[in-house]
Amino acid sequence: MPRVVQKRVKATAASNVKYIIRFTTPRHRIQFTCINSPSKPPIIRRLLPTATTTITISMDLRRGLPPKPPSTTPLIRHRKTTSNNKNNNRSSSSTGTVVDHRSPSPIPKASDALPLPLYLTNGIFFTLFFCVAYFLLHRWREKIRSSTPLHVVTLSELAAIVSLIASFIYLLGFFGIDFVQSFIGTSRVDEDNFTLEDDVEHHSKPKPRIMDPLPTAATLTSKKDEDIVKSVVSGSIPSYSLESKLGDCRRAASIRREALERKTGRPLLGLPLEGFDYNSILGQCCEMPIGYVQVPVGIAGPLLLNGGEYMVPMATTEGCLVASTNRGCKAIFASGGATAILLKDGMTRAPVVRFGSAARASHLKFFLEDALNFDALSIVFNKSSRFARLQSIQCSIAGKNLYIRFTCSTGDAMGMNMVSKGVQNVLDFLQIEFPDMEVIGISGNFCSDKKPSAVNWIEGRGKSVVCESVITADVVKKVLKTTVPALVELNMLKNLTGSAIAGSLGGFNAHAANIVSAVFIATGQDPAQNIESSHCITMMEPVNSGKDLHISVTMPSIEVGTVGGGTQLASQSACLNLLGVKGASKESPGANARLLATIVAGSVLAGELSLMSAISSGQLVKSHMKYNRSNRDMTVISS
């Protein structure tokens, strides 16, 4: 139980009484030193029946340590004392300086558990080790000379062997305690001392307090980090090697960030550093991190798709996008939902090889397209992964150069690395049959990855999905605020004719890339693959005697995965979990990735429906002026 002592020390006047209150426990000691004053600060009224002007609170966390040595560093605290003037009955104040010699509690070390000082203990075990070793060597030499078996030991020899083992274990485990402790940060605070000072004059307004400046949050935790920052700035330590040298990804990011600010002279105050697991991106997501960018995530839905309801996460900074997609989901839901069909599932990679002549390149083309050779090539390709399964090989020749487009299934992964490994296996195999084949590159852009291309638009890449829904006339009128004929006409003139005039490649839609990008960022997909994943043609036709609207989106190359890459990060993994497609499917490999592709197509369907309705009804500009413009004065914020 804590022991409480209240002591009245001094009473100079009716208005000046000094109190000392001590709270003592085996591990803590708290002392309140109080001087009475007529004005009562609210927080002190609960502690004393009278008010205080000066309160000193000191806390000592006792850990069974040796007595604290006296400190030579004084703590200077300014304090104002009051005195009464008998002539004019007015209070006058004088300022004094109190020097308080305080010493911080020593930092506990592992060596404090030893009964003797560390240097004495090490010396004893050092001496014991070498003495016992010398004794045993001397005894064993005598036994060898007298032909006595070495395993026959006396009691003294047995004790010497035990002492040798014990001293060896100690020296091995504890000799370097001080050396190891020198690398351990000493940022723990063992004593919390703080002074609360308040000056209150009788019948007058309180004067400003004199307070010590608050410590600023330090980016660097030790002098060693400061030395590393200087080395990075000077170039003696490469910035990219900090993680491997330090073994602490968070610390490496902090040091790299500080070095960058010093080299550029520009602060990164708005770029957060804390609150992120930097170990999770090491070797798979991002190199040389200095922080992370915050992107808000909104929810559209529920999206009623193939009988299931999905709340779709969308990471975006564009106003109206989530609201518009949400309105499209509402219209689809009110009309009975949408249907999505997966047409094809296959990731591609197309290396380019070169021969001495076009004839030799043609020989390889015929060899690869021969169905009799496909099984052998499949066996070689499929060795790269238990999920990779070769589906087809398509060749295109340009002179003496041959482009080979491999297509394979990749399970729940997006599959670029998987298909690349399989292609490398096949190329190594073909090198035996065609030794004059020169591999120019494992990717020859016939894939085609992260670029708009006709081959992806026609043949597809990743997941090919078509999604459709019938929106009733009542929903078109009440929810979308337009009419079926107006939507059909707008779609023909804008998405079809207008895109054709522009020479668009796979861009026969209103804004499919908006939805695809937002879902990709939220779920950890590769944002650059939004280029081919947004290939989409939007179709609208009147049905049921022209009363209702049939809308569909056909997307031949949605490239998504639920394992690998950014899908393993905490935030992105949470969004995948919200959709019910987190990780790999145990029942049916690839099912989660295929479901995610259909959800992307369904979200695009909702976004197309809502945006086209806004354009048709003339509400696009009005809604963007209302929801996509900031009223904040950025000049004031930036200053």
Side-chain angles (χ1 to χ4, degrees):
M1 294 293 292
R3 182 168 60 89
V4 181
V5 178
Q6 177 175 333
K7 184 177 180 181
R8 181 167 179 168
V9 178
K10 186 178 180 181
T12 59
S15 60
N16 287 333
V17 180
K18 182 177 182 181
Y19 287 89
I20 297 179
I21 302 177
R22 297 189 181 93
F23 297 87
T24 305
T25 68
R27 293 180 62 86
H28 302 80
R29 183 180 66 221
I30 306 176
Q31 175 175 312
F32 294 81
T33 304
C34 313
I35 299 177
N36 180 34
S37 176
S39 300
K40 294 184 178 182
I43 189 172
I44 305 302
R45 292 174 183 171
R46 300 183 181 90
L47 296 177
L48 298 174
T50 58
T52 65
T53 59
T54 305
I55 306 125
T56 302
I57 304 174
S58 63
M59 301 177 63
D60 185 11
L61 306 181
R62 302 180 180 179
R63 299 183 177 89
L65 303 177
K68 297 182 291 184
S71 174
T72 60
T73 304
L75 174 65
I76 301 177
R77 183 173 68 250
H78 296 279
R79 177 178 302 172
K80 288 189 177 182
T81 58
T82 60
S83 61
N84 295 330
N85 192 330
K86 295 181 180 181
N87 296 329
N88 52 11
N89 293 328
R90 296 180 62 183
S91 297
S92 62
S93 61
S94 61
T95 304
T97 302
V98 180
V99 180
D100 187 4
H101 294 273
R102 296 185 183 179
S103 59
S105 299
I107 299 173
K109 300 180 179 180
S111 57
D112 294 338
L114 299 175
L116 296 176
L118 184 60
Y119 70 94
L120 288 180
T121 307
N122 286 340
I124 292 174
F125 277 93
F126 242 123
T127 305
L128 178 64
F129 177 81
F130 287 107
C131 290
V132 170
Y134 176 79
F135 172 75
L136 290 175
L137 290 175
H138 180 72
R139 292 290 300 161
W140 289 342
R141 184 179 63 178
E142 292 180 354
K143 288 185 178 183
I144 293 174
R145 289 179 176 178
S146 61
S147 300
T148 305
L150 294 179
H151 65 273
V152 177
V153 295
T154 63
L155 183 61
S156 60
E157 293 173 346
L158 182 62
I161 293 174
V162 173
S163 300
L164 180 68
I165 296 174
S167 59
F168 176 76
I169 293 175
Y170 171 83
L171 294 176
L172 182 65
F174 293 97
F175 181 72
I177 286 180
D178 276 344
F179 178 74
V180 173
Q181 285 178 345
S182 65
F183 291 96
I184 300 177
T186 58
S187 60
R188 293 191 302 172
V189 179
D190 295 297
E191 181 175 0
D192 295 324
N193 295 310
F194 62 94
T195 301
L196 172 65
E197 299 189 0
D198 190 9
D199 299 294
V200 182
E201 293 189 6
H202 186 53
H203 300 300
S204 65
K205 295 183 180 180
K207 295 183 177 181
R209 291 186 296 175
I210 302 177
M211 301 182 63
D212 295 331
L214 295 175
T216 57
T219 304
L220 305 179
T221 58
S222 67
K223 185 179 182 299
K224 187 175 181 181
D225 286 354
E226 176 66 26
D227 295 338
I228 297 175
V229 169
K230 294 179 180 178
S231 299
V232 173
V233 173
S234 64
S236 57
I237 296 180
S239 179
Y240 62 81
S241 65
L242 288 175
E243 280 78 7
S244 60
K245 288 182 179 295
L246 300 178
D248 186 343
C249 295
R250 160 63 181 80
R251 183 182 170 202
S254 176
I255 291 175
R256 181 181 296 112
R257 178 191 182 105
E258 180 68 20
L260 179 65
E261 289 182 337
R262 296 185 187 182
K263 291 177 69 175
T264 62
R266 295 189 175 103
L268 298 172
L269 299 177
L271 184 68
L273 176 68
E274 303 295 340
F276 189 81
D277 182 11
Y278 292 93
N279 292 316
S280 64
I281 64 175
L282 181 64
Q284 70 171 10
C285 289
C286 181
E287 297 77 33
M288 300 173 63
I290 58 171
Y292 59 96
V293 174
Q294 297 170 315
V295 181
V297 178
I299 288 296
L303 173 65
L304 183 57
L305 182 69
N306 293 340
E309 297 183 12
Y310 303 96
M311 301 300 296
V312 183
M314 301 175 66
T316 181
T317 56
E318 180 183 347
C320 288
L321 179 59
V322 177
S324 178
T325 307
N326 186 68
R327 184 176 74 151
C329 292
K330 179 181 179 181
I332 294 173
F333 191 95
S335 300
T339 303
I341 301 95
L342 185 77
L343 305 175
K344 188 179 180 181
D345 182 8
M347 182 51 63
T348 64
R349 175 62 83 195
V352 54
V353 298
R354 182 170 60 191
F355 289 87
S357 65
R360 284 294 292 164
S362 301
H363 291 164
L364 178 57
K365 181 179 185 298
F366 297 146
F367 177 86
L368 294 173
E369 293 177 346
D370 190 346
L372 299 177
N373 299 323
F374 183 80
D375 291 339
L377 295 174
S378 296
I379 294 174
V380 175
F381 186 98
N382 296 344
K383 289 191 302 182
S384 62
S385 171
R386 59 193 179 102
F387 297 109
R389 293 296 178 266
L390 184 63
Q391 297 175 347
S392 64
I393 301 176
Q394 180 182 1
C395 298
S396 181
I397 193 169
K400 57 182 182 179
N401 303 303
L402 183 66
Y403 297 82
I404 313 168
R405 193 171 193 258
F406 294 84
T407 304
C408 77
S409 60
T410 57
D412 283 303
M414 184 271 290
M416 286 298 300
N417 293 331
M418 191 184 301
V419 67
S420 296
K421 289 190 294 182
V423 168
Q424 187 63 55
N425 290 344
V426 174
L427 292 177
D428 295 340
F429 174 77
L430 293 175
Q431 201 84 54
I432 300 174
E433 298 292 331
F434 297 87
D436 56 336
M437 180 183 72
E438 179 186 1
V439 179
I440 303 301
I442 197 169
S443 176
N445 275 5
F446 188 41
C447 311
S448 172
D449 185 39
K450 300 179 177 70
K451 289 166 285 293
S453 61
V455 68
N456 289 342
W457 176 241
I458 298 171
E459 299 292 338
R461 188 171 192 256
K463 277 72 174 172
S464 300
V465 181
V466 58
C467 185
E468 64 177 351
S469 180
V470 176
I471 310 299
T472 62
D474 189 55
V475 172
V476 171
K477 180 180 179 180
K478 294 182 178 179
V479 178
L480 302 177
K481 312 299 182 183
T482 186
T483 63
V484 173
L487 282 173
V488 172
E489 182 181 21
L490 177 64
N491 183 74
M492 180 186 66
L493 295 178
K494 170 183 168 60
N495 290 340
L496 304 182
T497 308
S499 297
I501 293 176
S504 178
L505 182 60
F508 299 92
N509 57 81
H511 70 149
N514 255 338
I515 292 87
V516 172
S517 296
V519 177
F520 270 30
I521 295 173
T523 57
Q525 311 304 314
D526 189 344
Q529 290 183 326
N530 161 71
I531 296 176
E532 61 266 39
S533 297
S534 297
H535 282 182
C536 171
I537 181 169
T538 301
M539 301 292 295
M540 294 185 184
E541 301 176 17
V543 293
N544 300 329
S545 302
K547 296 180 180 179
D548 302 331
L549 175 71
H550 179 275
I551 178 174
S552 67
V553 292
T554 304
M555 307 179 69
S557 51
I558 302 177
E559 299 168 0
V560 294
T562 58
V563 296
T567 64
Q568 301 181 41
L569 300 180
S571 302
Q572 290 81 346
S573 180
C575 291
L576 289 172
N577 187 57
L578 176 66
L579 294 171
V581 294
K582 177 183 177 181
S585 174
K586 297 180 180 179
E587 294 79 11
S588 176
N592 283 351
R594 290 190 290 268
L595 177 57
L596 179 59
T598 60
I599 293 174
V600 171
S603 303
V604 170
L605 182 72
E608 291 284 286
L609 180 62
S610 181
L611 177 60
M612 292 294 289
S613 299
I615 296 175
S616 174
S617 60
Q619 298 296 316
L620 178 65
V621 176
K622 180 180 178 181
S623 60
H624 273 263
M625 293 297 294
K626 180 178 180 181
Y627 296 107
N628 199 23
R629 291 181 64 84
S630 175
N631 294 323
R632 305 170 69 185
D633 189 349
M634 300 307 297
T635 59
V636 177
I637 296 174
S638 61
S639 62

